[in-house]
Amino acid sequence: MLWVDKYRPRSLDKVIVHQDVAQNLKKLVSEQDCPHLLFYGPSGAGKKTLIMALLRQMFGASVEKVKVENKNWKVDAGSRTLDLELTTLSSTHHVELNPSDAGFQDRYIVQEIIKEMAKNRPIDTKGKKGFKVLVLNEVDKLSREAQHSLRRTMEKYSASCRLILCCNSSSKVTEAVRSRCLNVRINAPKEEEIVDVLEFIGRKEGLQLPSGFAARIAEKSNRSLRRAILSFETCRVQQYPFTNNQLIPAMDWEVYVLEIASDIMKEQSPKRLFQVRGKVYELLSNCIPPEIILKRLLFELLKKLDSELKHEVCHWAAYYEHRMRLGQKAIFHIEAFVAKFMSIYKGFLISTFG
Amino acid sequence: MAPLLQSSQPWVEKYRPRQVKDVAHQDEVVRVLTNTLETANCPHMLFYGPPGTGKTTTALAIAHELYGPELYKSRVLELNASDDRGINVVRTKIKNFAAVAVGTQRHGNYPCPPYKIIILDEADSMTEDAQNALRRTMETYSKVTRFFFICNYISRIIEPLASRCAKFRFKPLTDEIMNDRIAYICSAEGLDLDPEALSTLSSISQGDLRRAITYLQGAARLFGSSILSTDLVTVSGVIPEEVVQALYSTCKSGNFELAEKEVSNVIAEGYPVSQIISQLFDLIVGLDDVSDEQKARIFKKMGEADKCLIDGADEYLQLLDVASNAMRALCNMPLEFPSEF
Ligand SMILES: Nc1ncnc2c1ncn2[C@@H]1O[C@H](COP(=O)(O)OP(=O)(O)OP(=O)(O)O)[C@@H](O)[C@H]1O
Ligand SMILES: Nc1ncnc2c1ncn2[C@@H]1O[C@H](COP(=O)(O)OP(=O)(O)O)[C@@H](O)[C@H]1O
Ligand SMILES: [Mg+2]
Ligand SMILES: [Mg+2]
């Protein structure tokens, strides 16, 4: 098992970061009438961990006995029948799913499947826990229609079903859905907190950490706990005992983006644009999300620029990323950004150096 | 063990008014509907307004009061966005429901008027085609049905439908009304809220009573029965003023790297960017040392960014753009970029 999973705290009392949130959550579910919850925060901040620990707090260890199912549904959509396929993770008390996986048909998932699940009240002979929990991941990726479809379901069946929604940016969750939940913000852990977690894992694994080593990993982690733990484990595999000048491995795709940025800075020409396109395409075909590529590219380019150009470049990055959202083919918009950058930069070079 | 159904509902549902007269602050609707209860006359209705102002509550309450529990099922059809409401559904489901004649039997003391009610909640999510299909249905069955449309944005309802209805705007609740309702819940739940906490609660929930009730319940669970103003702020996730102030200062400093760092920090802290932008707006609007022209430039960009965010644009990039634009306006740097190649 990877360390990220092995050392994922299982109960609210055992978390290392977000202890305050964990204690609050514990109090929140002390009665049976807890409102719906919306967890939001950057990826790798610990949302999922808290949600699982919360479920355990509510229902006991049985929520950890999950089965993964790939289910097929036939949905009657007026004139035609749709075949929907979705993976669910469920225990006797909860079901976890990722409705946005259904793409533009996500509305049907909410209308048919989630509503059905919400309606059916679990029959518990002991009559104790009279409701179940639906965990919906990535709700910020749901279409507006799908989000609207959630609204009444959240009210109508609130006695039999509690929703826990999870997302990165709560700006993308509609006002009406946010108004129906208690919003719980999970911030990315500070570097010191990441160091605490790494040192904890180091102790458990019986490792010697040179001073400052954990801090170096934390610094490179972009405040993502998952990322930090993963690269800690990679370091362990690459070289142990650790040394202070040991290289903290970067992600392959980031190294690649850095390379693209250098290519762009070295030459601004149609030919170079074409080469860059090929490289971006390769990243995309490796499933790196386009907005992540664009943001990283901006990050690398900004580092190399004079202040006066930075404003303009970040403006265009925002502009083309927005267009990318509205469009279909991400590559066009990343390429347009690169072309724009080349033209600005070349203009700058000519006006400065002639 | 207390009866499950009651106790296990969140407070928002527990304290949903069951009668029209208990709906707070929406006097016109309440007057018209109280009249309906007496005369059994009722036009088609269109309720619109922001979330948590009582639209669904009112529609459900009047339906229950008109027919009572026994007839409710056969006389009221509730369709909301969680139901498929494409053209086909409108054509078949609504027609089938509307076409069955109503009897004149009365049940108990309920008025039981001789028509059926079709509640189309969250109607702004219906397609235009589906709405058009409704026009005919409405006319054909106008003698035996009343339609209640409910939506947040009236502009999403096609004109021919809207013009057939009596329209009611549900206003965000005022502070006093909100306070009354909250005070009522507090006494029912045995909570103690001082005046300061009460006013904080109404200001952070911005006229949305549902939100206020949820915050209240959250705070009650976390901090016990005696609730302070700060407890409510914690629960609500309002962005602390310092965060907004820090972002503004970096813009003012004219140092791009500082602003970039602060923007990254805001994102890592998980603050919703639309919220940050709106709080930054509030801050800058009130500043005397920023000229009107500078303000106009900054706000124009904020508006654009807000639109982009609604389209699903990346939060980091939009906030960075807003910050960079604000910096240029505040430090009198050149503003516009040539927009095409
Ligand atoms: N005017 C009001 N008087 C009393 N309670 C209210 C009022 N408005 C809202 N509430 C409370 O808020 C909850 C939500 O109200 P309701 O479902 O009617 O909102 P809505 O206007 O339909 O919102 P949305 O547009 O999000 O559907 C109710 O359960 C009730 O507790
Ligand atoms: N509170 C915590 N204390 C210690 N380690 C944590 C905590 N939260 C998360 N982690 C570690 O970080 C990893 C990523 O967290 P996760 O909950 O999956 O993030 P998210 O859902 O926000 O993307 C987990 O696998 C776990 O090892
Ligand atoms: Mg996750
Ligand atoms: Mg409603």
Side-chain angles (χ1 to χ4, degrees):
Chain A
M1 205 185 339
L2 285 174
W3 287 355
V4 269
D5 294 319
K6 190 168 166 193
Y7 294 104
R8 189 194 281 274
R10 302 270 180 262
S11 81
L12 290 174
D13 288 318
K14 294 238 174 67
V15 300
I16 300 174
V17 292
H18 300 304
Q19 285 179 7
D20 46 344
V21 183
Q23 287 312 310
N24 284 345
L25 287 172
K26 209 168 148 184
K27 290 186 213 152
L28 203 63
V29 296
S30 60
E31 313 256 337
Q32 300 292 295
D33 58 2
C34 150
H36 302 298
L37 301 173
L38 169 67
F39 284 78
Y40 64 97
S43 131
K47 298 179 295 299
K48 207 51 192 301
T49 305
L50 284 167
I51 292 173
M52 287 317 293
L54 178 69
L55 288 172
R56 196 187 146 112
Q57 175 76 28
M58 293 164 88
F59 300 111
S62 64
V63 291
E64 282 170 3
K65 279 198 223 94
V66 291
K67 58 173 190 281
V68 183
E69 280 171 294
N70 225 329
K71 285 194 199 158
N72 285 292
W73 280 276
K74 285 210 183 310
V75 171
D76 180 24
S79 49
R80 65 223 152 97
T81 313
L82 295 176
D83 279 304
L84 297 178
E85 197 187 322
L86 203 67
T87 312
T88 62
L89 213 84
S90 55
S91 74
T92 44
H93 298 288
H94 86 285
V95 184
E96 179 183 337
L97 62 166
N98 202 341
S100 63
D101 282 352
F104 64 96
Q105 293 173 332
D106 56 0
R107 175 165 73 92
Y108 295 104
I109 302 280
V110 178
Q111 289 178 345
E112 302 296 328
I113 298 162
I114 295 181
K115 193 165 77 174
E116 228 21 70
M117 289 176 178
K119 256 187 203 169
N120 297 323
R121 194 157 187 176
I123 299 164
D124 183 345
T125 41
K126 278 166 259 134
K128 201 167 163 253
K129 299 290 193 318
F131 64 88
K132 67 160 153 287
V133 173
L134 288 182
V135 180
L136 307 186
N137 288 322
E138 302 189 8
V139 283
D140 48 354
K141 298 220 175 88
L142 282 180
S143 66
R144 288 217 147 227
E145 290 74 36
Q147 294 195 29
H148 283 309
S149 304
L150 264 183
R151 294 162 58 176
R152 223 13 225 150
T153 301
M154 294 175 80
E155 298 176 333
K156 218 167 166 176
Y157 309 111
S158 62
S160 58
C161 171
R162 234 26 69 76
L163 261 65
I164 296 183
L165 311 178
C166 184
C167 71
N168 290 133
S169 57
S170 80
S171 289
K172 291 183 191 165
V173 180
T174 60
E175 180 88 9
V177 170
R178 272 187 279 155
S179 154
R180 284 163 168 77
C181 306
L182 193 61
N183 293 213
V184 184
R185 180 171 62 89
I186 307 297
N187 63 357
K190 305 248 180 311
E191 282 173 18
E192 305 87 78
E193 294 173 312
I194 294 180
V195 169
D196 290 343
V197 175
L198 296 181
E199 283 174 348
F200 169 82
I201 295 176
R203 271 198 305 282
K204 287 278 177 182
E205 291 284 322
L207 302 174
Q208 291 291 326
L209 295 184
S211 77
F213 186 69
R216 273 177 59 217
I217 294 180
E219 198 187 324
K220 288 238 159 100
S221 70
N222 219 348
R223 290 178 67 178
S224 160
L225 199 46
R226 179 181 310 111
R227 169 111 186 242
I229 299 173
L230 284 171
S231 53
F232 186 38
E233 191 168 1
T234 314
C235 287
R236 166 74 181 81
V237 173
Q238 285 180 346
Q239 177 185 339
Y240 189 78
F242 298 128
T243 59
N244 247 333
N245 52 12
Q246 179 171 354
L247 205 71
I248 312 290
M251 308 267 241
D252 292 345
W253 70 270
E254 287 181 355
V255 177
Y256 206 57
V257 173
L258 177 64
E259 206 179 295
I260 295 176
S262 319
D263 288 349
I264 297 173
M265 295 301 287
K266 270 192 223 121
E267 185 185 323
Q268 302 81 36
S269 67
K271 187 164 150 253
R272 184 49 61 92
L273 184 60
F274 184 71
Q275 289 164 350
V276 165
R277 181 197 171 106
K279 289 189 172 179
V280 172
Y281 208 80
E282 194 163 331
L283 285 171
L284 286 170
S285 57
N286 276 301
C287 292
I288 311 289
E291 69 278 6
I292 303 279
I293 300 175
L294 188 65
K295 276 197 282 188
R296 189 72 196 182
L297 186 57
L298 174 70
F299 173 80
E300 297 294 357
L301 290 173
L302 284 179
K303 279 201 294 203
K304 301 170 196 270
L305 287 182
D306 276 5
S307 228
E308 47 184 308
L309 284 186
K310 287 185 180 184
H311 290 283
E312 190 166 359
V313 170
C314 90
H315 166 75
W316 290 113
Y319 176 85
Y320 285 111
E321 195 274 340
H322 175 228
R323 300 252 296 212
M324 185 159 83
R325 269 321 144 159
L326 303 177
Q328 295 259 337
K329 283 254 182 262
I331 184 91
F332 294 163
H333 304 278
I334 298 182
E335 195 179 14
F337 169 69
V338 174
K340 186 82 197 171
F341 178 86
M342 285 182 169
S343 119
I344 293 170
Y345 190 62
K346 187 134 201 161
F348 168 78
L349 290 181
I350 291 172
S351 71
T352 324
F353 305 108
Chain B
M1 185 106 213
L4 261 176
L5 229 132
Q6 290 305 316
S7 72
S8 64
Q9 281 196 315
W11 290 2
V12 256
E13 290 305 319
K14 190 167 165 191
Y15 293 100
R16 188 191 282 280
R18 311 278 166 216
Q19 295 186 318
V20 174
K21 70 175 169 52
D22 294 334
V23 173
H25 195 54
Q26 317 297 354
D27 302 330
E28 292 137 50
V29 193
V30 172
R31 200 171 329 115
V32 171
L33 290 178
T34 321
N35 196 17
T36 297
L37 282 175
E38 282 155 17
T39 63
N41 265 335
C42 181
H44 297 301
M45 300 270 206
L46 170 59
F47 298 164
Y48 63 101
T53 49
K55 302 179 297 295
T56 305
T57 308
T58 310
L60 293 180
I62 185 75
H64 276 109
E65 283 185 87
L66 282 175
Y67 301 107
E70 279 176 41
L71 277 186
Y72 185 87
K73 273 238 157 65
S74 62
R75 292 293 188 83
V76 183
L77 176 66
E78 188 199 341
L79 288 176
N80 50 63
S82 74
D83 305 295
D84 185 8
R85 291 182 303 190
I87 309 193
N88 282 300
V89 175
V90 170
R91 291 230 175 95
T92 52
K93 210 166 176 176
I94 297 187
K95 266 189 186 173
N96 291 344
F97 178 78
V100 179
V102 296
T104 46
Q105 82 275 31
R106 286 181 65 124
H107 277 257
N109 281 329
Y110 297 99
C112 303
Y115 47 76
K116 297 182 178 182
I117 288 183
I118 297 178
I119 301 175
L120 287 165
D121 202 349
E122 292 137 15
D124 36 7
S125 67
M126 290 175 80
T127 63
E128 227 167 88
D129 289 345
Q131 294 189 34
N132 270 313
L134 261 182
R135 288 164 61 177
R136 278 285 303 283
T137 322
M138 268 177 96
E139 257 156 31
T140 318
Y141 301 104
S142 65
K143 282 238 168 60
V144 287
T145 50
R146 294 294 178 275
F147 280 84
F148 282 58
F149 293 96
I150 305 180
C151 63
N152 291 125
Y153 303 102
I154 192 173
S155 55
R156 306 250 171 90
I157 305 292
I158 59 169
E159 183 51 32
L161 283 191
S163 63
R164 285 173 169 78
C165 301
K167 297 188 242 339
F168 294 98
R169 192 173 91 86
F170 280 60
K171 300 167 294 251
L173 307 203
T174 61
D175 289 1
E176 298 95 74
I177 304 283
M178 188 102 90
N179 289 351
D180 286 351
R181 194 75 196 154
I182 295 295
Y184 165 76
I185 297 176
C186 285
S187 70
E189 294 287 336
L191 301 179
D192 181 24
L193 222 63
D194 63 36
E196 191 199 341
L198 208 56
S199 82
T200 306
L201 184 55
S202 42
S203 83
I204 54 182
S205 33
Q206 305 190 336
D208 178 345
L209 187 54
R210 172 168 37 221
R211 207 179 275 225
I213 297 176
T214 305
Y215 293 158
L216 183 69
Q217 186 184 8
R221 289 286 170 273
L222 300 192
F223 304 101
S225 63
S226 163
I227 297 167
L228 303 177
S229 165
T230 50
D231 301 341
L232 291 163
V233 172
T234 310
V235 173
S236 73
V238 174
I239 302 170
E241 239 3 86
E242 304 89 78
V243 175
V244 185
Q245 187 65 50
L247 184 60
Y248 174 73
S249 310
T250 60
C251 294
K252 186 98 184 146
S253 76
N255 182 331
F256 186 91
E257 288 77 31
L258 281 184
E260 193 188 347
K261 234 172 144 184
E262 194 55 40
V263 167
S264 299
N265 184 48
V266 165
I267 299 291
E269 286 296 318
Y271 295 117
V273 166
S274 53
Q275 179 75 35
I276 280 272
I277 292 182
S278 115
Q279 283 183 234
L280 192 60
F281 173 90
D282 292 343
L283 176 88
I284 296 178
V285 143
L287 293 177
D288 293 330
D289 58 345
V290 180
S291 77
D292 285 350
E293 192 188 334
Q294 287 171 320
K295 284 182 187 173
R297 288 180 162 170
I298 296 172
F299 299 158
K300 177 165 174 272
K301 184 69 188 195
M302 286 181 169
E304 285 165 14
D306 192 60
K307 156 81 170 92
C308 291
L309 287 172
I310 287 187
D311 289 338
D314 184 77
E315 294 197 297
Y316 169 82
L317 292 175
Q318 291 301 323
L319 188 59
L320 188 60
D321 196 16
V322 165
S324 135
N325 175 277
M327 179 180 293
R328 276 173 284 136
L330 291 169
C331 305
N332 302 312
M333 303 181 199
L335 270 172
E336 302 301 330
F337 307 119
S339 69
E340 278 313 313
F341 289 107

